[in-house]
Amino acid sequence: MSDLVVLGTDTDAGKTTFALLWMAAFGDEFAYWKPVETGDPDTERIGRLLPDAITIDPVARFAEPVAPALAARNDGKAIPSAAQLARSRPHTRRSLLIETFGGPLSPLNDTELQIELVRRLATPAVLVASSTVGAVGRSLSVLRILRSEQIDIRAVVLIGSADVYAEEEIRKHGNIEIVGLRPPVLWETHGIATGATDQREALERIRSIVQPVPRPSVNADELILRDRAVAWHPYTSLQDPDAPLPVVGATDEFIELADGRRLIDGISSWWTILHGHRHPRLMRALREASERIDHVLFAGATHPYGVECAELLLKTAPWNGGRVFFSDNGSTAVEVALKMAYQFWCHNGEPHRKLFVGFHGGYHGDTFGAMAISRDPVFFGRFEPLLFRAAQVPVQVNLLDQFLWQHPREVAAVIIEPMIQAAGGMRIQPAHVLRDLFNVARKHNVLFVADEVMSAFRTGTFWAHSQAGITPDLICASKTLAGGIMPLAATLAAPEVVAAFDTDDRSQTFFHGHSFTGHPLACAVAVENLKMMADGKWQERARQIESRWKNYCFENYWQENEFASSELGHPGRVRVCGTVLAMEVGHGGYLAETGRRMRAAAIKTGVLLRPLGNVLYAMPPLDTSEESLHQIVRAMRAAVRAAEG
């Protein structure tokens, strides 16, 4: 048997009555756990009335018999988050009977409802209701809520006198199995055992209903063979010796493989998963939006999700006003910025400003404009004859200043990944260097583009560039914009850029767009994500991860003198920036064979990492548990040993 969650339509619906009968019948298979308790503790009641039952103490218990969130507040304490409670789930040889409190929409803590915990438990559930008058309406109402939240509800259990009419109506309108149970005649050990024995057939029926539905089996070897016959994977040789991982599921910081293994997603699935896989609030936003709309063009039409997403993004910008141009991915967000920058100068009478300046180690995407300003010889050297004119300078203030002096009124824009160059090797730049580079661009009257496709949220602030106190003219965002749930990109344009296009001359229109620009479902998820980030609580989590990286490394694995120095160009073996931990292992760059060995060693340790050649790094989701953070560092150490051994 799998674990089983007991939900109630409300307080006093009969959840504990059901739990007593269930534990009396199946106590040799189940242990009882109620994560949060108030008032007279049900855990002690179960243990007192069923002395042979195994009970597990709650995570939070309060003496005052009121709602848990209120009891905690009155006691000057806090109830853990749904994620923390779910991670506290006991590991026993027996299945768990998990009893909830109140109804599914009862407040769990100051920010979450109990249904968030139920969803994170991801366990089959039964809904318990009293058979008194109103059972039909109560049961069907809660059923609708549970199903809309994708809770795996298997049966309704009516506690009380038999009510054939109520059972028929709930079964008919709820399309669900329903079973009636009577409370024990005597509320003592013998009476409960007798009640369970007399109703064994009904309890066995419930037991058969809630048996886990087996997941459709996936033959990993067959899937890989089919994949290799038809799929062309990014940044992967067609003769890659390493088979792709056959992934069949993902939850929180984990991905699930066809063979049953769970790997910690130590790189947030190419830096996209912000909070964790299938975060409940984001999935709910997607589900609710999908019930009203799918896709509508964003040319000559609009929708509430796109408007609200743009409004929320502009509230984070370092200037008042401006506009948001949506696209599909980081590379297209950069393309939009490049085209806007050049057309801006055309509208201002300077069409000769055709030169863009990027930086050594920069990477901005794989479309032609993004390749041109990146110019990485490994990634893009083959396409050099096709790329437009652009320059790359070292990330040094004096050299940028010198270049701009040598090319007066030729440069349209300078573009940089603020604080950390990602694909170029996780190279960190101090905030003062970023600020000085911006000031040089301003001195030469050149537009400044912040490519925040990777760095947004990852360095400990909403926008990485804000740590330097600068105001870019264009900001590019993508990977984490919709929490990694949906593909979405945005280019934020400052008011002075927008003003150059605000004309009734249709020939000066910004002629750019994509079929799925401003996709409603992606925007709906992004809106919820931006609302989650607006309270700033995530920043404390980012700081905790950064602190953990340093503490783990200093105390357990690497010496402090191996960490990044503040001088650019001397990165140190190990470097930390926000949620990113990176280190250089040997030499050889992106094509170094050590990358394959390190990846394989990490996977054996239960962690998915994807080194950038000889640069090993981790960038986990914000909600990654402390245990998983420890495991990531252990995997990185194993990877280093594999590379150096």
Side-chain angles (χ1 to χ4, degrees), residues 1-4 22-23 26-32 52-55 92 94-98 207 210:
M1 280 290 294
S2 71
D3 296 345
L4 179 64
W22 187 270
M23 292 299 296
F26 308 121
D28 57 337
E29 300 178 50
F30 280 83
Y32 174 87
D52 294 333
I54 293 179
T55 61
T92 70
R94 303 187 181 201
S95 300
L96 288 176
L97 182 70
I98 306 171
R207 189 172 182 273
V210 300

Side-chain angles (χ1 to χ4, degrees), residues 210-424:
V210 300
Q211 286 278 8
V213 177
R215 171 181 285 169
S217 62
V218 175
N219 185 305
D221 293 336
E222 179 186 352
L223 179 64
I224 291 169
L225 285 174
R226 291 167 54 201
D227 173 278
R228 288 193 152 170
V230 296
W232 198 335
H233 291 272
Y235 283 86
T236 305
S237 166
L238 291 176
Q239 296 188 16
D240 187 49
D242 297 322
L245 295 172
V247 179
V248 295
T251 305
D252 299 328
E253 70 263 37
F254 302 100
I255 60 172
E256 304 161 20
L257 304 186
D259 61 7
R261 285 181 296 161
R262 286 205 316 173
L263 298 180
I264 299 168
D265 188 352
I267 55 170
S268 299
S269 287
W270 248 354
W271 322 336
T272 60
I273 301 297
L274 182 56
H275 308 280
H277 287 281
R278 295 192 300 115
H279 189 280
R281 284 182 60 175
L282 301 186
M283 296 304 292
R284 182 176 61 210
L286 174 60
R287 183 169 59 253
E288 291 176 351
S290 70
E291 292 173 354
R292 292 189 284 272
I293 195 171
D294 51 2
H295 176 58
V296 63
L297 78 168
F298 211 58
T302 191
H303 48 78
Y305 306 110
V307 173
E308 187 173 8
C309 185
E311 290 172 340
L312 292 172
L313 278 171
L314 288 177
K315 286 181 180 178
T316 71
W319 16 253
N320 294 321
R323 294 291 182 98
V324 174
F325 196 100
F326 290 113
S327 57
D328 304 334
N329 59 73
S331 189
T332 58
V334 170
E335 294 288 334
V336 168
L338 299 179
K339 290 177 68 174
M340 278 185 180
Y342 176 66
Q343 193 168 342
F344 166 86
W345 290 113
C346 290
H347 293 342
N348 281 280
E350 298 189 58
H352 49 273
R353 287 186 179 259
K354 302 175 183 178
L355 182 59
F356 288 87
V357 178
F359 293 92
H360 292 173
Y363 171 89
H364 302 281
D366 298 331
T367 49
F368 272 90
M371 288 194 295
I373 56 174
S374 304
R375 256 6 190 253
D376 185 282
V378 174
F379 299 154
F380 314 132
R382 191 66 54 90
F383 304 99
E384 183 64 36
L386 306 177
L387 303 181
F388 64 70
R389 182 177 175 229
Q392 286 71 42
V393 300
V395 188
Q396 295 181 27
V397 176
N398 63 320
L399 295 182
L400 176 63
D401 190 30
Q402 178 181 327
F403 183 88
L404 294 179
W405 276 118
Q406 293 171 346
H407 299 82
R409 303 176 69 84
E410 291 183 52
V411 177
V414 169
I415 183 168
I416 194 169
E417 300 162 86
M419 299 298 295
I420 182 168
Q421 293 178 309

Side-chain angles (χ1 to χ4, degrees), residues 267-276 282 309 313 328-330 452-459 461-463 476-490 522 525-533 538 579 619-622:
I267 55 170
S268 299
S269 287
W270 248 354
W271 322 336
T272 60
I273 301 297
L274 182 56
H275 308 280
L282 301 186
C309 185
L313 278 171
D328 304 334
N329 59 73
E452 296 263 10
V453 168
M454 170 270 174
S455 55
F457 304 129
R458 295 297 187 186
T459 64
T461 51
F462 192 106
W463 299 118
C476 305
S478 181
K479 289 183 181 294
T480 55
L481 185 53
I485 303 296
M486 296 284 284
L488 182 67
V525 179
V527 165
E528 188 65 22
N529 184 45
L530 291 169
K531 288 179 177 177
M532 290 172 62
M533 307 305 282
W538 68 273
T579 61
M619 190 190 304
L622 288 170

Side-chain angles (χ1 to χ4, degrees), residues 72-114:
R73 184 185 303 172
N74 291 343
D75 203 20
K77 298 178 181 177
I79 293 179
S81 69
Q84 291 170 324
L85 287 171
R87 292 192 186 107
S88 300
R89 183 184 197 146
H91 297 285
T92 70
R93 293 182 179 179
R94 303 187 181 201
S95 300
L96 288 176
L97 182 70
I98 306 171
E99 183 179 340
T100 61
F101 61 86
L105 298 186
S106 298
L108 174 64
N109 49 46
D110 289 340
T111 60
E112 297 174 303
L113 300 176
Q114 183 174 215

Side-chain angles (χ1 to χ4, degrees), residues 185-204:
V185 176
L186 296 175
W187 285 88
E188 43 81 28
T189 302
H190 178 71
I192 293 168
T194 300
T197 300
D198 292 346
Q199 301 180 89
R200 183 77 184 196
E201 184 177 346
L203 289 165
E204 289 284 3

